[in-house]
Each structure stands twice: as C-alpha cells, then as structure tokens.
Amino acid sequence: MKYAIGVDIGTSGTKSVLFDEKGTVIASASQEYPLYQEKNGYAEQEPSDWYNASINTIKKIISESGVSADDICGVGISGQMHGLVMLDENNEVIRKSIIWCDQRTAKECEEITEKVGKERLIEITANPALTGFTASKILWVRNNEPDNYKKCRHILLPKDYVRFMLTGEYATDVSDASGMQLLDVPNRCWSDEVLEKLDIDKSLLAKVYESCEITGNITSKAAELTGLKEGTPVVGGAGDNAAAAVGTGIVSDGKAFTTIGTSGVVFAHTSEIQIDPKGRVHTFCCAVPGCWHIMGVTQAACLSLKWFRDNFCDTEMREANEKGVSEYFIMDNEAEKIAIGSDKLLYLPYLMGERTPHLDPDIRGTFFGISAMHTKAHFIRAVMEGVAYSLRDCKNIISEMGTEISDMMACGGGGTSPLWRSMLADLYDCPVKTVSCKEGPALGVAILAFVGTGVYDTVEHACDAMIKTDKVQEPDADASAQYEKYYQLYRKIYYSIKDDCKELAML
C-alpha cells in the first residue's frame, strides 16, 4: 500500500492528512495561528507560522500513524491563494505576508488597470485588477515600502513558501499562479507583457508547473524535522479551491462545488476556457492539466460566523465545551429553530469588502431590519442565510456565462452543516451533495501527489478510485419560494448602501 500526505495551509490554521491510495484517512493533525489586522481592511500573517504548523502537523501524523516513511510516495501542498511572501538575498522573509482578504490596494489596482488596460488585462489574466490579488500587493509594497521592495529577490505564494522551506525550490503551480494577476491564464505561463508594463522583474517569480508535476524533493533538514524520507517528491499542488475541486471530484464538465470556508466559493470545472468580460467571476487554470475553472468568491463566509461566534457566543462556546461538541453544532441547533428569513432580519456578509459580484473593497457588513424581537438565534441564522445569498449571487453569474451545472458538491467547514446545505439546495434549486471524506483540499493535493508519482495515471482516474458520495440534500420547493423573496430584497440592499460605505471609507 502506498500513502501520500496532503498539507492544507489555510487562513485559520494548517492541516496535514495522511491518506492511503484508496482515499482513506490514516491520520490528521492541525495547528492554528493568528491573523494580524493593524488597520481596518488590512490582513497579514507570519509565513513562519505556516511553516512551523506544516512541520509540526506532518511530524505528528507520521509518528501517530505507524506508517513507514518509505511507503509515503509523495507530498502535495494546498494553500490560501494570493498572499505575498517576499524573500531577501538570504531567503529571509522581509515582512509579514499581505494575505488574500487584505483590501488596502485600491490605488494599485487603478495603477494596474491604467498601465495594462482594463480589457487587455482581462484577456491575459482572465480577471480585472483586484485588491485581493498578488500583483496589487507587490505594487503596494513598492509604492509604500520602497526599502523592503529593494531587498526583495524572490516572490512566493503562501504554500510555495512552505514548499521552498521543505525542498529548497522556488516553484508554484498554474492554479495558484493564476491568482497573482501576472499569469497568462489561457496559455498557462507568466505574462511577459503584464510584467513589462508593471515593471516587475520576471526573475523574482517562481517556476510554474502543472499541479501534478513533481517540483522538488524533501531536503535532509526537512526530513529530520518531519520524519519524512529525504528525497520524497513534492508535487505542484494547488490553490485551496482548485485543490478542493480535486478532493470532491470536480474534475470534468458539468460538475461544481460550493465551499463554505473562511471565504465562500462557487467553483465550476470547464475544459474550454471561459472569461467573463465584466470580471465578476474569476477564471483560473485548474489542477487538471489543460483545463480551467470559473470561480465566484464571497470574502467572508465562515469568517462571518466565526466573527459572530468570537464576539457574541461565549455561552454557546461554554456549552459546547461541556458537551464535548463543536460550538458551531450548538449555533446550528439554535438557528434551526428560527423560521426562513430570520423573522425579517437580513445580513450582508461584507466584513472584508466583496469580490463576486460587486468587486467593491469599500462595502461593509450590514444587519438590516433589526427589531426588539430578535434574539441571538435570529442573528446566527441571518448570518448563515446572508452567506448563502452571497453564494447564490456567484452561481447566478456562472450560469449566465453558459456553464451548465448538473452536479453540486458542498465542502469546507460550513459544508458539514446540514442547515447550511439545506439553504444552498433551496436557493440553488438543485441537490447538494457531500463526499464521504471531508478533507477537501488536503485530499485533493494528496491525489495530485499520487498522480505525480505514478500511483494513478490521471487526476480523473484517481478521483474515480478515491472519492465517494456521502449525503444528498434535496431542495424543497416551498422553502425555495420563501428564500427567493428575501434573496431579491438582499440583492437590492447593496445598491442602497454602497455609496454610503464609500463615504464611510473616506472618513
């Protein structure tokens, strides 16, 4: 029996999982770390936290599993996308990483659009200039921290920094590189035109690989720290959403998934590149060689529920601790007692600005319709419904582009919630399924490692062998009709408050 490790470097923490070649979880471990928000709209993390969490969790799963390092054929790495890691000539991190949900780069996005041209930028990178993407972060450092920029010799994404520390190789994969706004997405390579117009030295960037290609091997130092065998291959891996797609079997046309993680995503596979000229959804290279995906993103999905939990749910957290269950399980049960529409309380999940469909860094979260009758349970349900409405926005645009979705999976922490899945099924008006393995991104990159090391010949064949459907949530026609009324009002509220939010941002 062969084994592979999937390492998923998320925003809240890193999880490493050891799988056998049938997709069975042998061992898993996770480690959390902080998010730093110095100012409103800022979001940074320490790259060393990702690396230490990766080392510690890999070591733990190997030691606890009893599996010989000789039988671990490869490692795949998934990671939060768009984060900027800058290394100096000694490969030391120059500053904290500006991560995906940071919103400080509005001026730099204007600069990118002016220098490249809005239409040309979308033609090459398949996306308009966005505050979350890496290119604008690079320009922000150059414009605001010139000394740091002068020191920079290498630019890496979060998972690729961990790769470098494990293998000594500067490498990335096409799916994660797509989110930097420097990749020629149709041709799956760095864009010399964009780099030249933005005056970014190509030598700063890592070599680009397909997701299942081997990018390097575990060094002796990394082997000593983790318990892996020196020379174990590390494949390209994928950005978190592309990895989740593989981990849920979304590797052929007609298939899609919704993930409710820190951010929320609706992701559809396509073997033909499709680009929204309005830039409302993202088109990236996917982890299947020669294919792409269309992706709508809401910035604050589980982040919204976590924010509410951390600030208002001490009672639920104490109860969960006493009963030995997740606090989200307790919150789910409270929300389930509230009727659809939360008794006319709506929530707009714009805690970190928004990407799909509004591309608005200044919009902020809103509770609409608060009255004296509302309880904490109403607010919990309103948060969950608001996130579901935002995900419906994403699916609508993908459908408008002509991408037919016949098979919808749910994943991410929020995807484990039966209540949240029922909301999605009712709002999408289609069945929403889960897979038996809940490790999404980690399983996805482990599958890529199995393919890259020859255990399976293609990603599709590996998914057929390793992924099994678990639960199916069917839509309810009456519930769908009720949600539709609130959803239409939800859509109107954004346009009522967007100008006021811009004024607020200027204060």
Side-chain angles (χ1 to χ4, degrees):
M1 180 72 74
K2 290 294 183 183
Y3 302 85
I5 290 176
V7 182
D8 180 23
I9 301 158
T11 309
S12 302
T14 286
K15 174 180 276 191
S16 294
V17 187
L18 179 67
F19 298 91
D20 68 19
E21 61 192 72
K22 295 180 181 178
T24 304
V25 173
I26 305 302
S28 68
S30 59
Q31 181 173 318
E32 294 187 351
Y33 32 70
L35 170 70
Y36 301 95
Q37 294 187 275
E38 179 184 338
K39 298 179 182 178
N40 187 17
Y42 279 35
E44 298 182 347
Q45 289 188 312
E46 287 283 5
S48 59
D49 287 343
W50 307 326
Y51 172 60
N52 290 330
S54 300
I55 290 291
N56 294 339
T57 53
I58 293 171
K59 182 178 181 179
K60 185 175 183 180
I61 61 175
I62 292 175
S63 63
E64 290 183 353
S65 69
V67 170
S68 169
D70 291 335
D71 294 326
I72 299 174
C73 65
V75 177
I77 311 177
S78 163
Q80 52 169 293
M81 298 178 68
H82 316 304
L84 172 64
V85 181
M86 306 179 79
L87 304 183
D88 64 17
E89 60 185 358
N90 298 314
N91 292 316
E92 296 293 331
V93 174
I94 294 170
R95 68 175 323 284
K96 286 188 181 78
S97 173
I98 306 173
I99 67 166
W100 61 274
C101 53
D102 190 282
Q103 297 291 322
R104 76 184 71 177
T105 62
K107 290 182 180 179
E108 284 70 29
C109 288
E110 293 174 4
E111 180 181 347
I112 291 169
T113 302
E114 180 181 348
K115 289 181 174 179
V116 182
K118 182 177 180 180
E119 292 183 0
R120 184 61 179 151
L121 185 66
I122 293 176
E123 288 174 359
I124 298 171
T125 70
N127 295 279
L130 296 172
T131 51
F133 284 11
T134 320
S136 62
K137 296 176 172 70
I138 296 170
L139 297 192
W140 186 91
V141 173
R142 186 167 71 191
N143 292 340
N144 295 274
E145 299 175 354
D147 290 342
N148 282 338
Y149 189 79
K150 288 176 184 176
K151 296 176 189 175
C152 184
R153 295 296 178 270
H154 299 282
I155 291 172
L156 296 171
L157 293 163
K159 81 174 195 318
D160 300 326
Y161 172 72
V162 174
R163 180 204 317 280
F164 168 72
M165 295 295 288
L166 294 175
T167 68
E169 300 290 341
Y170 308 105
T172 190
D173 82 287
V174 290
S175 71
D176 214 358
S178 295
M180 293 185 73
Q181 199 120 56
L182 301 173
L183 194 78
D184 180 338
V185 171
N187 294 300
R188 309 171 84 87
C189 61
W190 296 125
S191 169
D192 291 329
E193 180 180 340
V194 172
L195 290 168
E196 180 180 350
K197 288 180 176 178
L198 300 183
D199 193 25
I200 296 173
D201 188 343
K202 190 176 180 178
S203 68
L204 297 175
L205 303 179
K207 183 178 178 180
V208 182
Y209 292 82
E210 290 291 337
S211 296
C212 53
E213 288 186 285
I214 294 173
T215 60
N217 301 282
I218 295 295
T219 64
S220 58
K221 179 181 178 181
E224 181 181 349
L225 291 171
T226 61
L228 285 163
K229 182 179 179 180
E230 181 180 356
T232 301
V234 177
V235 297
D240 49 7
N241 292 300
V246 177
T248 49
I250 310 304
V251 294
S252 58
D253 290 348
K255 293 190 174 185
F257 76 80
T258 296
T259 185
I260 308 178
T262 304
S263 62
V265 171
V266 180
F267 176 117
H269 180 97
T270 177
S271 55
E272 300 289 336
I273 188 166
Q274 298 182 42
I275 298 174
D276 177 20
K278 298 180 182 178
R280 297 167 298 171
V281 294
H282 314 311
T283 297
F284 294 154
C285 302
C286 77
V288 180
C291 294
W292 291 263
H293 63 257
I294 304 168
M295 184 171 71
V297 180
T298 181
Q299 294 277 71
C302 270
L303 178 63
S304 289
L305 199 59
K306 181 179 184 296
W307 165 80
F308 193 85
R309 179 202 70 177
D310 292 347
N311 288 283
F312 305 107
C313 293
D314 287 347
T315 301
E316 287 75 12
M317 287 193 279
R318 283 196 298 271
E319 181 182 349
N321 186 57
E322 291 170 2
K323 293 182 177 179
V325 298
S326 167
E327 56 268 30
Y328 292 116
F329 175 77
I330 303 295
M331 293 165 71
D332 252 30
N333 287 343
E334 292 183 8
E336 199 164 14
K337 298 172 185 176
I338 305 300
I340 290 172
S342 304
D343 285 319
K344 300 181 181 180
L345 176 64
L346 278 78
Y347 169 71
L348 280 67
Y350 303 143
L351 300 184
M352 303 298 296
E354 192 52 294
R355 277 162 66 168
T356 303
H358 303 302
L359 298 176
D360 188 344
D362 295 324
I363 195 69
R364 287 295 179 266
T366 301
F367 282 104
F368 179 81
I370 301 172
S371 80
M373 70 161 292
H374 289 130
T375 65
K376 187 191 299 183
H378 286 93
F379 282 87
I380 294 171
R381 182 168 187 122
V383 168
M384 297 177 74
E385 289 181 342
V387 171
Y389 296 145
S390 185
L391 293 165
R392 164 74 179 272
D393 278 344
C394 297
K395 182 181 180 294
N396 283 359
I397 295 171
I398 293 172
S399 298
E400 287 173 18
M401 292 171 66
T403 300
E404 296 297 329
I405 297 172
S406 57
D407 195 344
M408 180 66 77
M409 291 285 184
C411 61
T416 64
S417 162
L419 177 59
W420 235 335
R421 291 199 308 272
S422 73
M423 291 178 183
L424 294 179
D426 294 337
L427 279 161
Y428 292 167
D429 195 24
C430 75
V432 174
K433 307 174 185 178
T434 62
V435 292
S436 55
C437 177
K438 307 304 181 187
E439 302 297 352
L443 175 58
V445 291
I447 287 172
L448 296 173
F450 280 126
V451 175
T453 56
V455 176
Y456 292 100
D457 58 347
T458 67
V459 176
E460 294 90 337
H461 289 163
C463 288
D464 288 343
M466 296 176 66
I467 296 174
K468 300 173 182 65
T469 299
D470 183 15
K471 299 178 178 65
V472 180
Q473 179 69 49
E474 297 287 347
D476 178 278
D478 291 339
S480 294
Q482 292 181 64
Y483 277 121
E484 190 66 23
K485 297 175 184 177
Y486 288 101
Y487 172 63
Q488 294 304 328
L489 177 57
Y490 163 90
R491 294 180 69 190
K492 290 169 61 178
I493 296 170
Y494 167 80
Y495 297 100
S496 299
I497 66 172
K498 66 173 185 173
D499 292 338
D500 294 327
C501 282
K502 291 189 183 301
E503 182 177 344
L504 180 65
M506 298 299 291
L507 294 180

